Amino acid sequence: MRSVQRTTAAGTSTSLLRDSSLVWAASGVVGVSFGAVAVAGGLPVWVPVVMSLLVYAASAQFSAVGVLLAGGGPAAAVATGLLLNTRTAAFSLAVAESLGPGRARRFLGAHLVTDETAAFALAQPDPVRRRRAFWISGLGLFAVWNLGVLAGALAGGALGDTARYGLDTAFPAVLAALVLPALRADPALRRCALPGAALALALTPVVPAGVPVLCALAGLALHRRLAAPGAAA
C-alpha cells in the first residue's frame, strides 16, 4: 500500500513539475527583462536583485523601478508597490489552507503567494494536490524569477529595448491557460469572471499596471451572491 501511495505521489509531483515549468519559463523571461530594464535605467545591480528577493512581486517591482527611474523618491516607489501588491491579500485568503500547519510554513508560504502560484494551486481538483501544487510552483517560481533577474541585471543594457521582444505577453498567456479549465467546469465562476475581466480591461488604459487586476476582484461579490442559498441557477 505504501509503495502504491509513494508511486502515486511521485506521479503527481512529476505532473505538477511539468505543468509548473510553463509558468517558470515565463517568469524567468520576464525576470531577465526586469533586471535589464532596472540596470539599463541607471540603477546598480544590487537594487533589482535585493528587491526581487525581498519584495518578490513582478508588477509592483516594475512600477516601483519606473517611479525611481522617472525621478520619484523612495517613498513614492514604496507606496506604488504596496498599492499594486494589495491584491495578494485576497489570493492569500484563497490559498491559506494550501500552506499547511505551522507558523514558519505559513510565513514562507505568504512570501510565495503570487497571481501565478495562486492560480495554479486553485486549479487543482483536491486539497492534497492543491497543497503540493502550491509549494512546487511557488518555490520553483521564486528560484527562477530571482535567477532571471540576476541574469538580466548582469546583462545590463546589452539586451537593448526589452519591450520589442513582447515579454509582457508571457504571464497573461500562462495565466489564461491555468484558469481556463476552472472556467469551463463552473458556469457560476464564468458569470463572475467575465464582469471582472471586462472591468479590468476598461481600466487598463487609465490606471497603473496591477490596479486593474485588483479592481477585477469586484467579481468575487457576485460569486458570493450566486453561491448563496436560493440564488438563481
Side-chain angles (χ1 to χ4, degrees), residues 28-29 31-46 48-49 146-162 165 167:
V29 170
V32 170
S33 175
F34 172 72
V37 166
V39 173
L43 296 177
V45 170
W46 68 266
V49 172
N146 281 281
L147 288 173
V149 170
L150 177 61
L154 293 176
L159 295 177
D161 182 10
T162 55
Y165 302 119
L167 301 181

Side-chain angles (χ1 to χ4, degrees), residues 11-205:
T12 299
S13 297
T14 301
S15 173
L16 292 173
L17 283 169
R18 182 184 64 246
D19 296 341
S20 296
S21 63
L22 297 174
V23 185
W24 298 344
S27 174
V29 170
V30 180
V32 170
S33 175
F34 172 72
V37 166
V39 173
L43 296 177
V45 170
W46 68 266
V47 171
V49 172
V50 172
M51 182 184 290
S52 295
L53 288 169
L54 299 181
V55 178
Y56 185 51
S59 62
Q61 289 179 226
F62 272 107
S63 298
V65 165
V67 170
L68 292 174
L69 296 182
V78 170
T80 301
L82 286 175
L83 172 63
L84 298 183
N85 222 30
T86 52
R87 68 185 188 281
T88 58
F91 299 153
S92 298
L93 293 174
V95 300
E97 295 183 358
S98 300
L99 303 186
R103 186 171 298 177
R105 182 185 291 264
R106 288 183 174 271
F107 182 81
L108 174 60
H111 190 55
L112 298 178
V113 173
T114 64
D115 309 51
E116 299 77 28
T117 303
F120 187 69
L122 295 175
Q124 307 308 315
D126 60 78
V128 173
R129 190 177 174 95
R130 280 195 291 273
R131 179 174 298 183
R132 192 167 292 154
F134 176 85
W135 287 105
I136 288 175
S137 64
L139 291 171
L141 191 65
F142 182 80
V144 172
W145 169 258
N146 281 281
L147 288 173
V149 170
L150 177 61
L154 293 176
L159 295 177
D161 182 10
T162 55
R164 68 185 179 187
Y165 302 119
L167 301 181
D168 55 332
T169 65
F171 269 171
V174 172
L175 282 175
L178 289 175
V179 301
L180 278 176
L183 292 176
R184 289 196 189 103
D186 190 342
L189 188 59
R190 287 197 299 271
R191 290 195 292 268
C192 303
L194 288 176
L199 178 61
L201 287 173
L203 293 175
T204 295

